[in-house]
Amino acid sequence: MTGGVQGIGGATSSLLADRGYVVCALDIVNESHPDPRVQSIRCDVTDSAAVEQVFAMIESEFGDIDITVCNAGIGGGAPVADLTDEQFDRVLTANLNGVFHTARAAVRSMLSRRQGCIVTIGSVFGQNPPAGTSAYAASKAGVAAFTRSLALEMAPHGIRVNCISPGHIDTALYRSALERRAALRGISLSAITAEEEEVIPLGRFGTPEDVARVICFLCSEEAAYITGQRINVDGGLEAF
Ligand code: NAP
């Protein structure tokens, strides 16, 4: 589980532990997961060698890797005219290269056993981005396309790969994105919060647990015939 200490990843780590999995939360934050059942491992997914090393360590300490959730991600953005090469690269490297590094390490581990399940985390902004999110939107559209191709590549090997596109989920990442969009439009945080909540057909922001439950479903036997899909967990936002 990458980005597994807080937010969507934090909730998913605990839910997977509830379901009996040994869970390793790979994250760059300097904190451990609050749930003592979850093993916190410091790992930056932008560093492909570090990801390979951590996967090898997990296999030798805890055994076969059955599930990998490529969740770590960052926000960040600016109008394209102001966007620097560094800002663009930083978002793409964390959100897209990070998924590639993690999914590659996972399939290398899963291929010989001909089983396994990978879930990537995209975003509804990968399909319908608002202004000022070009780098993030490009990274998440890339995650969705990467997932679909990988699913086709892995299907003959018994490995399922799906992508979840969350909508507006109440986490630290979403709150700082709201602040950025409010500043960009010159409106207050409370105004943009109300505006974004109002357009969600189910009438509320999502919780990390709303997404965690769908990730756990995709990883379960109940989803044994689902692969190559992109599933929105967005309170109906994309149906709007
Ligand atoms: P979050 O609360 O910020 O949690 C993400 C975690 O990933 C943080 O602990 C973060 O550490 C960590 N992380 C960032 N870069 C990393 C790296 N290079 N290597 C390892 N860990 C790293 O965010 P979240 O809202 O739960 O988001 C999880 C995923 O869902 C992200 O991919 C995000 O794009 C996606 N998503 C979220 C929403 C939403 O509304 N919340 C909507 C659509 C998609 P730092 O705090 O130090 O960065």
Side-chain angles (χ1 to χ4, degrees), residues 12-13 17 22 43 50 57 60 64 101 111 136 141 187 189 199 203 225 228:
T12 308
S13 294
V22 173
C43 177
M57 184 276 283
S60 78
D64 292 336
H101 298 153
L111 272 170
Y136 184 79
I187 61 174
L189 183 59
V199 296
Y225 203 52

Side-chain angles (χ1 to χ4, degrees), residues 224-235:
Y225 203 52
I226 301 178
T227 198
Q229 302 304 304
R230 184 177 62 76
I231 296 172
N232 292 342
V233 182
D234 67 351

Side-chain angles (χ1 to χ4, degrees), residues 2-9 26-29 43-46 71-74 94-95 121-124 136 140 166-174:
T2 69
V5 165
Q6 58 186 350
I8 292 168
L26 281 49
D27 207 303
I28 50 170
V29 281
C43 177
D44 180 347
V45 298
T46 67
N71 163 77
I74 58 171
N95 293 358
I121 306 297
S123 168
V124 290
Y136 184 79
K140 293 301 188 176
H168 300 329
I169 312 299
D170 188 11
T171 66
L173 182 146
Y174 180 62

Side-chain angles (χ1 to χ4, degrees), residues 112-131:
S112 60
R113 287 181 294 120
R114 299 187 59 80
Q115 62 177 31
C117 175
I118 297 171
V119 177
T120 63
I121 306 297
S123 168
V124 290
F125 286 4
Q127 289 73 240
N128 290 311

